[in-house]
Structures are given as C-alpha cells and as structure tokens.
Amino acid sequence: MNKPVVILMCAGLIAILALRFWSTYHKTSNYTNGQTVSFVTTITTTARVSGNFQKITVHPDPSTAIFITLPRDIELDYRKTVRISGTSLRSVLSNKKTILTMYLPKVEAVKRSNNLSDRLIQIPLIASRFVRTQVGLVFAKALPSDLASLLLGIVLGVKGNMSSGFSQALSRAGVTHVIAASGMNVVIVGGFLVSFFTIFFKRQPSLVFAIAGIVFYAFLAGMEPSIIRASIMGILVLASQIIGRQYLASYGLILAVYSMLFVQPVLIADIGFQLSVTATAGLLYIKPLLDRFMPKIPYLGEDLTTTLSAQVATLPILLTTFGSYSLGSILANLLVLWTVPILMAIGAAAAALTFFFQPLAVLVTYLSLPFLMYFERVVYVLSGLPALHIDSLPFISIVGYYLFVIALVVGFQKKPE
Amino acid sequence: MKKTLMSLIGSLCILIALAVYQYVVFHDGKLHVVVCDVGQGDGIYIRSPDGSDILVDSGPDSAILSCLSRHMPFWDRVIDIAIITNADLDHYGGFIEVLKNYAVKEFVTTDIGKNDKMFDNLIKEVVLRRISTRVMWSDDILRDKKIQLVSLWPTQESLSLVNSQPVKGRAVLGSRTVNSLNPYSLVLALTYGSFDVLLTGDIQPPATDELALRIGGGEIEVLKVPHHGSKNGLTKKLLEVTSPELAIISAGRKNKFGHPAQQTLQLLKDFSVPLLRTDQRGDIEVVSDGKTWIVRP
C-alpha cells in the first residue's frame, strides 16, 4: 500500500474515534452533591472487596463515573444490569481530586431483554464464576488467607479477600500489578493451551481452541481492562499464525487500544487501562534500548530491564494517581518477579486438579507456600521503605516527560541496515 | 523445565522443614492467648496446652484470618470452639470469613442475638454447615483436658428483668434480642493451673459492677479490658476485685470512637496496671505453663 493511502486511512480512523469520543463526552454530567439519584447501569468491572464492603466504579452515563460502596454480600457479576438508587456525594481524595461517590445505595437487579447475546454471555460467566469459587476454596484450604488471595491474584487476576494491611503493603512496595492478570498470564495460558491441544489436533484447530481458551481466561480474570488488552494482543498473535501473517506487537497494541476505546471511550480515564497500555508500550519500545545499553547483570538482567522499562513508562500515572512512588519498588519487583512464573505453574496445576481430585489439588497448592511466604516477607520489608511524595503533577510536565521519553526511544532506535 | 523442577524440589524441602519447625513450636504444651489485632473489634485466639483451638470473637472482618495464620500451624484448619461474646459486628463479622477457611466444630453464644442481615448471614452459614451450637449462661463450663473456660455473665435473671423480644424464625445463636446488647455480653474466665485470664467482651456498667460482685475476689493475671477501653466498660470495682497484673485493650488505630477513653487509661494508671494495646502493638500473645506467664515479644 502506498504511503498517502496509509496516512489517509489512519486519519480516517482517528477521526472516527474522535467522533466516538465527542458523542460520549459532549454532554456534561448533571450530578451534584447531595442529589438523590436513581439510574440503570451495567457492571463492566470487578468489585474490590474490603472487609465487609465491596467497592466498584459504575457509569450512570458514559461521561460520569461514580465510586460506590456496598455490603459485600450483594452480587455484582460482570455484565449484570442493576438499578442503583441513593444520594450522590462529591468526595475529595487525598490527592485533591474530586470524585462522585455513593455510600450503601439501594441495588436492584434489572431483568434485561432476554436476547441471544445476553443468554450466550451467561455461559462463560457462570462457568468462570464456578471455576473461580472452586479454585478459591482449594487455595483457602491450603494457604493462609492473604497468601491464598495472592496466589489467586497471580493465577487468575482475582483480587479475592485480601486484608487491607497486606493490600496496602503490596501497593507501597509497587508490586500490585502481579495480582492483575495481564500479558504474562496470557502468554503462559496461550503457550500452554497451544502445546496441549497440538497433542490431540493439528496446528490450525489447536490455535483456534487456544484462542477460545484465552477468551475464557479473560472471563475468569474478571474482564478487567488489563486482561482485555492482553487477550486481544494474545489472540492477534495466534490469529496471525492461523492466517500465516507476520505479527507485529506494535500493531497489536494499537489495535487493542483502538478497539477498546471505540467500544468503551470512558476507559481512557481508567487507571488500570492507562497503566496496562503504557507498561506494554514501555516493554515494546524502552526495554530493547535498556537491553542494548545496560550492562548485563547475571540472574537479574531480564527482570531488571523489564521492571525499569515498565516503571519509566508508567511513572507519571503512578505519581498523579497515588501521589507517591515507592523507592523500594524496583528492588521489590526484582526480588519477587522470578517467583511469579513458578507460582503460576503451581497454581494452574492445582486449579486444574481441583476438578478431578481436590485432596491432590490441596497438596499441590502447599508447594506454593514457601514462595508465597518469601513474597509476603519481601513485600512487608520493602513496603516500609520511604516513598517519593508529590502533591500534584502539572499536566504540562507529564506531556514534557513523555515527549522526552519518546524522543529518546526514537533517537536511539536501531536504524535498519 | 529443569529450573522449575529444581524450584519445586527446593520448595518441597523447605515445606517439610517448615512443617517440622511449626510442629515443634506449636506443640509446646503451653497455653497461648492471643489478643489479635483485628482493628476496631475483639478477636481472641486461644491455643490450649493439648492443642485445641478456641476463638473468642472474630473482629469485624477478615483481619482475624491473618492473625490465625500467624499463630496456628499452616496445616491446622480446625477451630474446636467458636464463641461470640456479643452479637455486634465488631465481634462476629470475621466468623463469616473464618467459616470459609476453617472447619468450626461448635459455636457458643448467649441466647441474645441481633436482628440484622449480616448476623442472619452468619447463622445461615452455621446452619448450612450443620455446626452444633450451644447457649451459654453464667456458671456454665467449657473445658478440655487442661484448661477451664467458665462463663461469669450474663445471668438468666439479668435477662428476665428486661423486655427482650424473640427474633422471628431464629432457632440458633440468639433466639431473642434486646435494645442494647453490651450489658448482656458474655464474660469468660479462662484458667490454666494458677494462671487466670478474664475476657470481658463489651460489658458495660452497671453490669460490670454486678459482675464484680459475682466474682467477689481473687487475683487474675490478665484482664481484657471491656468494650475496647471505652469509658462505658471498665469500672473501679472490677479492678478492685480482680487486681490484674496486665490489662489488654483491643482497639483499632485512629478509630472513630476515640477508644480507649482517657478515663479508662487513667483508671488503669491509678491502679498501676501495666497496659498493652493492639492499636499500638499489633497482636498481643500471652504464654503460660500454668504457673508462670510471659508476654511474647
């Protein structure tokens, strides 16, 4: 394809996306402090359980996000449609951002039109809920609660019922990302499924089954933006093998971001989405540079450049969102990241055995205990290190930072010979 | 592949070493009483010298699980007796999580429950798991081979004096309820040899003074201060009759109630009772061989 056509196509696609954003955001939100509101919404993310409560962000309309707190026994499954009624409040966060909140509003399930797509989506939803519950029970039988939640997070990206102390320690140590299913999980799951299916089938059907497996894994992981992004990229890798085309990760990332924003423009403000996209971009563009220029350190080389490139790419988002950056974060990642593939392997084996012979699944889960105890110890020790605190980061400095990083990446990129 | 296999073999070796270490540490033939750091609430784990596990209250949420995992061997998933001293969330909330992670053999409480949805959820779980339940009044005794756990409060007479209402459809864990639960909080005396601990739940005056009258006299070693150190809990009379050697307050860091109250701290100071607080120290573990006792550092 010649260059002007490509440029024209790109401009067209950007214009379509811009139009989609305009249609979403041109209406301003009408929600005020103390207003009694009632709206119907569909749950598109997973609630975070904290003590006897669960917290979730919902969208009464595409341009409004409300952070609601509910008793933990209310079921908020992905794609469930509910009516939420209560009082909206404007709350000021510690980083001085103002958000809309609702505390213990009334939640009623709304029966949706029983069309085919709604009924079809119920199959993976029910199956994934069943798998999550059963695997969670096995992990809980073998491990202390925080460690069971950690393993469930590493294997399935489910946050589980982690104590607030451990959850905060993970955050302060800068390793919360390991309990969000993302690229590494999809690579391992996809790789395993392809190898498994090729034992029984030819290559092409095996790839198709592996794609189906990745889609189901995304359901298992609660359809968070990070897992959707990673799944789209993973599916593109397998699809390119089916049709015999070369796969370029950059195009995969662009396609994933474009399609996700087109379907759900509000994702642009979602921290999980922002972190997932920037960290992946960091791995694609910054890591090769670091691998080239940094001296190789035995045992640490890969993990060090992976951690550094992801952190360079996500730093402004971390600072603006959390107002702090843990100085122990790089060390914490270096010390725990090597355990993640092993824990995923043990956890996946135990998860699979759960459906055949539970006592054996419990025994296999025990094997993860030493690694998890080590992980927990590192997190608690390094979460005590001082953090860099920033009250506010001007938008212009964020733009300047990213322009500088992009300039470095472009400037040092290998020229084709 | 080889690396993963080596890691798994290494893990198995560490696991065996850990099991041996924990077996030795947790089977020391002593009584362990741990006032868990459960935030704003009560959660007290007792490991008797013969290895049975008793949980008196569970705090408001899953924080109790972290405490249990710190003080029980990793393979032990059985709680022999679970006791609810008070049907308020900060005493029973964690039991819903405990039931998901541990097999509980028996639930013990007074006949005074609470008419709310969260408490109903707990009852539903107890019934579903067919766990036996027992109502406890003053002078009832729970014991194993070496320790004795006696209920000192509430008396059946104290409840008959107030207007309690039956809870519709409730057969276990409190068939009746009252407007204020604290005066009917279960109070337990734990004895191992010459070592005595008084667990006071959320009892508040004038019931605290009536309890003091019933106790009459005799020194105790450890007092769990009533009602998280609130000004409506501990009284001079209770300190006079029990003369504790150590007081422990279970309260959350920067809790919204301002517990423990200045008056309570002053009262303990006036009686020169050393004080430990979970909001300052985290879990507080007292270990006794029946004659001597120490606070584990």
Side-chain angles (χ1 to χ4, degrees):
Chain A
M1 232 184 283
N2 60 28
K3 217 171 176 181
V5 176
V6 173
I7 293 172
L8 213 63
M9 276 178 70
C10 289
L13 286 170
I14 291 169
I16 292 169
L17 190 62
L19 208 64
R20 179 83 175 97
F21 267 85
W22 180 82
S23 71
T24 304
Y25 283 103
H26 80 283
K27 291 177 218 145
T28 48
S29 171
N30 300 320
Y31 292 85
T32 54
N33 195 28
Q35 183 187 353
T36 304
V37 293
S38 180
F39 55 87
V40 173
T41 186
T42 301
I43 303 299
T44 55
T45 183
T46 312
R48 282 200 71 171
V49 175
S50 167
N52 289 308
F53 299 97
Q54 53 182 330
K55 294 163 185 196
I56 192 166
T57 301
V58 294
H59 299 277
D61 59 61
S63 61
T64 310
I66 303 184
F67 185 71
I68 62 170
T69 304
L70 293 164
R72 62 173 294 177
D73 57 328
I74 292 180
E75 282 183 10
L76 290 173
D77 295 326
Y78 180 72
R79 300 299 303 166
K80 185 174 183 178
T81 304
V82 289
R83 173 171 285 284
I84 297 174
S85 319
T87 308
S88 69
L89 296 169
R90 288 202 172 269
S91 306
V92 181
L93 302 177
S94 57
N95 60 4
K96 291 173 188 160
K97 272 186 187 166
T98 304
I99 59 162
L100 276 173
T101 60
M102 286 173 86
Y103 185 70
L104 305 183
K106 190 175 168 194
V107 177
E108 299 156 287
V110 173
K111 206 165 185 191
R112 281 156 55 108
S113 58
N114 208 8
N115 58 33
L116 186 65
S117 68
D118 278 348
R119 269 181 287 167
L120 276 180
I121 209 165
Q122 288 305 314
I123 299 168
L125 278 177
I126 292 167
S128 58
R129 196 189 315 149
F130 175 74
V131 171
R132 272 200 304 263
T133 310
Q134 293 302 314
V135 173
L137 286 174
V138 164
F139 287 0
K141 266 185 196 166
L143 301 169
S145 65
D146 278 347
L147 301 188
S149 298
L150 178 60
L151 187 61
L152 206 58
I154 288 171
V155 179
L156 296 181
V158 181
K159 287 173 187 78
N161 191 15
M162 202 172 268
S163 71
S164 59
F166 188 50
S167 178
Q168 282 164 15
L170 281 176
S171 173
R172 279 198 302 270
V175 292
T176 308
H177 62 92
V178 300
I179 56 164
S182 61
M184 197 203 296
N185 302 57
V186 171
V187 168
I188 294 176
V189 169
F192 169 77
L193 290 176
V194 171
S195 320
F196 178 75
F197 286 124
T198 40
I199 301 171
F200 308 101
F201 306 100
K202 284 187 176 161
R203 178 106 184 133
Q204 299 289 71
S206 300
L207 291 169
V208 175
F209 292 142
I211 288 176
I214 290 177
V215 172
F216 183 65
Y217 182 76
F219 274 95
L220 271 180
M223 285 292 193
E224 290 286 322
S226 61
I227 191 67
I228 296 178
R229 195 269 314 147
S231 299
I232 293 174
M233 291 180 72
I235 289 168
L236 287 174
V237 173
L238 300 180
S240 65
Q241 289 179 25
I242 293 174
I243 58 172
R245 299 293 289 265
Q246 191 192 2
Y247 172 79
L248 279 174
S250 303
Y251 293 158
L253 179 62
I254 291 167
L255 194 59
V257 170
Y258 189 93
S259 52
M260 287 173 77
L261 287 178
F262 188 80
V263 174
Q264 223 180 329
V266 289
L267 277 179
I268 194 90
D270 185 286
I271 304 304
F273 177 77
Q274 292 171 2
L275 288 173
S276 172
V277 172
T278 47
T280 311
L283 295 182
L284 289 179
Y285 303 111
I286 302 171
K287 189 173 180 300
L289 294 186
L290 296 179
D291 285 336
R292 231 166 86 202
F293 294 115
M294 275 182 57
K296 296 268 176 294
I297 303 170
Y299 302 109
L300 288 182
E302 273 291 300
D303 282 354
L304 182 63
T305 53
T306 303
T307 303
L308 278 176
S309 51
Q311 298 224 346
V312 166
T314 54
L315 186 65
I317 302 170
L318 294 173
L319 283 174
T320 45
T321 311
F322 304 109
S324 65
Y325 170 74
S326 165
L327 298 177
S329 147
I330 291 176
L331 184 59
N333 275 283
L334 285 180
L335 290 175
V336 301
L337 277 187
W338 68 270
T339 64
V340 174
I342 301 171
L343 286 169
M344 265 204 83
I346 298 173
L353 283 168
T354 299
F355 300 96
F356 299 103
F357 190 49
Q358 275 208 10
L360 189 59
V362 173
L363 284 178
V364 170
T365 308
Y366 276 134
L367 282 178
S368 66
L369 187 64
F371 295 105
L372 291 167
M373 287 171 81
Y374 161 79
F375 194 122
E376 185 189 37
R377 185 59 31 214
V378 169
V379 164
Y380 273 122
V381 170
L382 295 183
S383 65
L385 288 183
L388 182 71
H389 291 280
I390 285 186
D391 280 344
S392 66
L393 201 60
F395 184 68
I396 190 74
S397 60
I398 299 173
V399 174
Y401 175 89
Y402 277 122
L403 284 177
F404 179 69
V405 173
I406 291 169
L408 281 181
V409 169
V410 173
F412 285 101
Q413 210 155 36
K414 259 188 183 163
K415 303 276 180 301
E417 285 168 18
Chain B
M1 189 66 194
K2 196 180 164 193
K3 211 168 134 188
T4 309
L5 196 67
M6 289 305 288
S7 305
L8 291 179
I9 293 170
S11 174
L12 188 64
C13 294
I14 297 170
L15 198 64
I16 293 167
L18 185 70
V20 172
Y21 169 76
Q22 289 203 344
Y23 186 85
V24 173
V25 169
F26 289 111
H27 290 77
D28 58 358
K30 292 177 180 168
L31 170 70
H32 295 249
V33 179
V34 184
V35 180
C36 294
D37 176 14
V38 290
Q40 182 63 13
D42 270 7
I44 297 152
Y45 166 68
I46 299 166
R47 188 170 184 87
S48 90
D50 71 350
S52 32
D53 304 292
I54 300 167
L55 188 57
V56 182
D57 293 330
S58 61
D61 54 38
S62 60
I64 189 72
L65 297 178
S66 304
C67 177
L68 293 178
S69 65
R70 285 190 291 270
H71 298 280
M72 287 172 76
F74 70 84
W75 63 86
D76 185 355
R77 288 311 172 105
V78 179
I79 301 286
D80 297 274
I81 305 171
I83 302 171
I84 302 172
T85 64
N86 185 328
D88 277 331
L89 186 69
D90 58 336
H91 292 253
Y92 77 78
F95 276 126
I96 296 168
E97 292 304 318
V98 169
L99 287 176
K100 288 180 190 161
N101 291 270
Y102 293 82
V104 176
K105 287 185 182 167
E106 185 181 28
F107 256 96
V108 177
T109 186
T110 65
D111 196 32
I112 303 153
K114 198 170 192 182
N115 199 3
D116 75 12
K117 203 173 165 232
M118 286 289 280
F119 200 66
D120 281 341
N121 285 347
L122 172 64
I123 292 169
K124 220 182 283 170
E125 295 292 330
V126 170
V127 172
L128 192 74
R129 288 170 167 78
R130 296 180 181 170
I131 299 169
S132 71
T133 57
R134 190 199 303 195
V135 172
M136 206 170 184
W137 295 105
S138 58
D139 300 326
D140 286 348
I141 300 172
L142 282 171
R143 72 173 100 212
D144 71 0
K145 287 166 201 150
K146 296 198 170 165
I147 63 163
Q148 185 167 282
L149 205 51
V150 184
S151 169
L152 303 177
W153 191 264
T155 58
Q156 294 209 41
E157 303 80 60
S158 66
L159 187 64
S160 65
L161 294 175
V162 294
N163 190 12
S164 66
Q165 301 95 36
V167 183
K168 204 178 165 191
R170 180 81 59 79
V172 296
L173 297 187
S175 63
R176 307 186 70 77
T177 190
V178 290
N179 289 334
S180 173
L181 296 169
N182 291 351
Y184 307 97
S185 193
L186 193 63
V187 176
L188 299 159
L190 168 68
T191 303
Y192 176 44
S194 60
F195 175 73
D196 298 292
V197 182
L198 188 63
L199 304 172
T200 53
D202 270 1
I203 194 166
Q204 67 179 51
T208 317
D209 287 338
E210 289 175 48
L211 168 74
L213 274 177
R214 283 182 61 81
I215 294 172
E219 289 176 0
I220 63 164
E221 278 66 38
V222 180
L223 168 72
K224 202 289 293 180
V225 177
H227 202 192
H228 324 291
S230 147
K231 61 181 180 185
N232 289 320
L234 186 64
T235 61
K236 202 173 156 191
K237 212 174 260 179
L238 187 65
L239 283 177
E240 277 169 357
V241 298
T242 55
S243 310
E245 292 176 32
L246 172 70
I248 299 174
I249 291 178
S250 180
R253 287 167 194 84
K254 295 179 186 166
N255 65 76
K256 61 181 176 185
F257 308 101
H259 294 160
Q262 202 49 48
Q263 295 95 310
T264 307
L265 299 178
Q266 190 56 48
L267 195 58
L268 289 165
K269 216 173 186 180
D270 293 343
F271 278 78
S272 307
V273 184
L275 170 68
L276 294 175
R277 294 164 50 172
T278 57
D279 58 333
Q280 292 177 341
R281 227 184 118 107
D283 298 346
I284 297 164
E285 182 176 10
V286 182
V287 183
S288 171
D289 59 5
K291 294 176 193 130
T292 59
W293 62 278
I294 55 158
V295 176
R296 189 161 270 184

